[in-house]
Amino acid sequence: MPAARQWDWVEPSVWTERMLQALEQGVKGGVWYSLMDKVWSPRNLYAAAERVRKNHGAAGVDHVSVEEFHRRLEANLQHLHEDLRTNCYRPQEIRRVFIPKPGSAEKRPLGIPTVRDRVVQTALRNVLEPIFEKGFAAHSYGFRPGRSCKDALRRMDALLKQGQHWVVDADLKGYFDSIPHAPLLAQVRRKVADQGVLSLLEAFLHAKVMADVSWEPEEGTPQGGVISPLLANLYLDPLDQVMAGAGYDMVRYADDFVVLCRDEATARQALAAITEWTTSAGLTLHPTKTRLVDVMNSDGFDFLGYHFQVSRIKPGKINRWPRKKSLQKFKDRVRDATRRCHGQSLEQIITTLNRALRGFFAYFQHSNKSTFQELDGWIRMRLRSILRKRQKRKGAGRGRDHQRWPNIYFSSLGLFSMTEARALCLRSCCR
């Protein structure tokens, strides 16, 4: 990839042509100095504030929203500039919230920094990300510029089609909350020697968390922090290098990763190498969720929202469909939009519903055809049930309701058909 395209995502106020040349050619000793002035530069802070504004997000412990922060943007950025320049800046407490995990009774902890701190974290990431991004492994896809879930899924699909049917399905237990601070900072020091930057990073890692009580974390980097995805990738980079160096085909998206192998013996060796590295790094593999899977002779495995299984009828064909948790989350959203007692017109209900359908299809469009046929039929059944209710009829929309309100009736109202969308995609690919 040409250098200009490779780095077109960097913040230009920080990464000038001269800086990019140094990045490409390598700096003396491989370590970067004098970076803090680039963190607190007014142009970088302004660019960071704009990015935070576009991402929206909730207020932190100070209750200052993104909109409120931007109403006094010039004054707020001037204060941040002076505090960072004079080493007076201190992160505020992080607001701890818990969000449901789809298809599970467990809840996922999120840490929400204040808008002020998110701006500084973004400015810091603008400076640090290219330095570490240059050396990250090719098989790492999560939270990286120009990469996405779909890239990771394409890579895994290709490996399965090549006959890599033994899978190490690994799960790191509470990864973001268990990253040890000292080894993480040691990883940063391998390429960054600016003490101001190191102190700022350490301050973010030790920022107090406000839940029922206030406490200072001894390990971890909070999910929800702007800088956290970069740090999470950085800490797992040595594992990436170990696996790549040993010739294993790994696909990683943040803390979710699989290793695909041609036989059981290789898969066991890969799992042993992963176990050895995670233990030395102070991390824990989940004892029940980490497993070896023979895709040819099992129910398959889940990865990034999809379920994968090699067809037993047509060897070499990869069957894929939304995993149970993904399907449950989608169905819950549809149920909420299609309650029988819904007071909106059917046209309004379909308009709301279409947003969910298009979003779901955009991600899961590579699922087997039957996935969309079944879902389309189920969705129309729920819409027919609404119409039955409005005619004072009981029960679900089945039987003769198909004649009363045929499929073409819902098409005329603009209902998005995932089956038709998939067929259109296939025709486009053939052309």
Side-chain angles (χ1 to χ4, degrees), residues 343-374:
Q344 293 181 323
S345 69
L346 197 63
E347 290 85 350
Q348 289 174 312
I349 291 171
I350 286 174
T351 298
T352 301
L353 192 57
N354 279 347
R355 287 195 287 269
L357 302 186
R358 287 193 172 97
F360 181 83
F361 179 78
Y363 188 77
F364 290 105
Q365 61 184 284
H366 301 292
S367 298
N368 288 7
K369 180 180 179 181
S370 59
T371 299
F372 302 117
Q373 292 174 329
E374 292 170 9

Side-chain angles (χ1 to χ4, degrees), residues 29 39 88 115 134 175 191 193 257 259 276 287 293 324 339 424:
V39 176
C88 294
V115 176
K134 188 175 187 297
Y175 174 61
K191 292 190 176 181
F257 62 91
V259 181
E276 181 181 355
V293 180
K324 288 181 180 179
R339 298 188 306 273
L424 185 62

Side-chain angles (χ1 to χ4, degrees), residues 248-264:
Y248 294 117
D249 287 313
M250 183 176 183
V251 183
R252 182 171 72 80
Y253 192 94
D255 59 332
D256 196 357
F257 62 91
V258 291
V259 181
L260 293 95
C261 308
R262 291 193 177 274
D263 53 65
E264 182 180 3

Side-chain angles (χ1 to χ4, degrees), residues 165 296 310-318:
H165 292 162
M296 293 291 290
V310 174
S311 173
R312 296 172 189 174
I313 300 173
K314 296 180 180 179
K317 175 178 168 52
I318 311 300

Side-chain angles (χ1 to χ4, degrees), residues 164 395 426:
Q164 312 275 60
L426 288 176

